[in-house]
Amino acid sequence: MPTTASKKQITIYDIADRAGTSASTVGAVLNGSWRNRRISEKRAETIRQIAEEMGYAPNMQARALRSVRSRMIGMILPMYENRYFGAIAERFEMEARARGLLPMTSCTRREPDLELATVRQMLSYNVDRIVCTGATDPDGIARICDAQGVPTINLDLPGTAAPSIISDNYTGAYKLTAALIDRANAVGSNWQNDFLFVGGRPTDHNTSERIRGFREAITDAGALPTEENIMACGYAAAKSKAALSAKVESTGRMPTAMFVNSTVSLEGVFDWLGQHHRKALDTILFGSFDWDPFAQYTAQNLFSVRQDVPSMLDAMFRIIDSEPPHEAEVIQVEPIVISYRTREHAPARATER
């Protein structure tokens, strides 16, 4: 039979007593604000482990206070320097304010620990909802938020525990690759063995779908995609620069065409070519899965995929504006392929899967 002691509600004071620290320190760790208190990560992890071992659950009366809406909405995103994420942040803030909401944004640099710490801190400010943009573990964030009664929504990268709005990465990559192949054929370039895919992380949904589109477009054009030409080396400019340098050194020749997985990666590619093979900027066919207007003037032989931020944010706020509960559906918005020759593009459309 369970004893009266076993039914006792565990409090932060019980955790503090076992951890040999103060209740305020325990509270800061559990609400995610421990970094501001200069508590060490090791200490914070010890306290979280003790809380889990003791079966700590937040006080339900305190959680009930969340029925009073704060009108604050949070968003985490990987970076601001990329035009795509910068445009997302700007549109998010504009649409939130139009609804009388106070937007709270934070850059988490694709660091899982920083993402979780930031989300916990946002929860400590009693935000009504959190938008996870490009999060490394959106489902883990959803579980933390759900325990506090706060809904989440995913943008850019999908999850399974909350609604997700993403670009149709496969279709965009397929069309971008096909456009490069058509142009290479038109100018008589032998692209089959020297068509590179550069940038991104293969474990990311977006990159894996873009690689799938890249491979299938090459296959449909009658060639076999070469695995050593797929260099998903990360998004940082320094990494794409190093990958291209190593590739040219190992093969002894320049690529004919390049699918570059972001404008940040494109910076690294252009930087290396500008320093070592400037003339190649006028001969290589470039495809960038992301868009920057200045890149169009840097290399006229450039095709871009512009992700449709307005349509993505409109779809997201339609969900936010509607009554819960919301299904964990994935809404894909087709991006826009821009040709350097005509600058023509097709209208985007949203599809549900």
Side-chain angles (χ1 to χ4, degrees), residues 222-283:
L224 292 175
T226 308
E227 291 305 308
E228 56 264 30
N229 284 351
I230 298 175
M231 303 182 294
C233 54
Y235 288 101
K239 292 183 177 181
S240 61
K241 183 177 179 180
L244 177 59
S245 176
K247 183 66 174 178
V248 172
E249 183 177 352
S250 67
T251 62
R253 61 182 185 271
M254 299 300 295
T256 301
M258 298 180 67
F259 182 122
V260 188
N261 204 16
S262 75
T263 52
V264 175
S265 298
L266 190 65
E267 288 177 23
V269 168
F270 281 1
D271 186 24
W272 187 82
L273 290 173
Q275 291 180 31
H276 302 282
H277 298 276
R278 182 171 290 275
K279 289 184 179 180
L281 287 168
D282 297 322
T283 59

Side-chain angles (χ1 to χ4, degrees), residues 52-64:
E52 184 175 348
E53 291 172 353
M54 296 181 71
Y56 171 77
N59 185 285
M60 296 306 293
Q61 289 180 331
R63 188 180 296 175

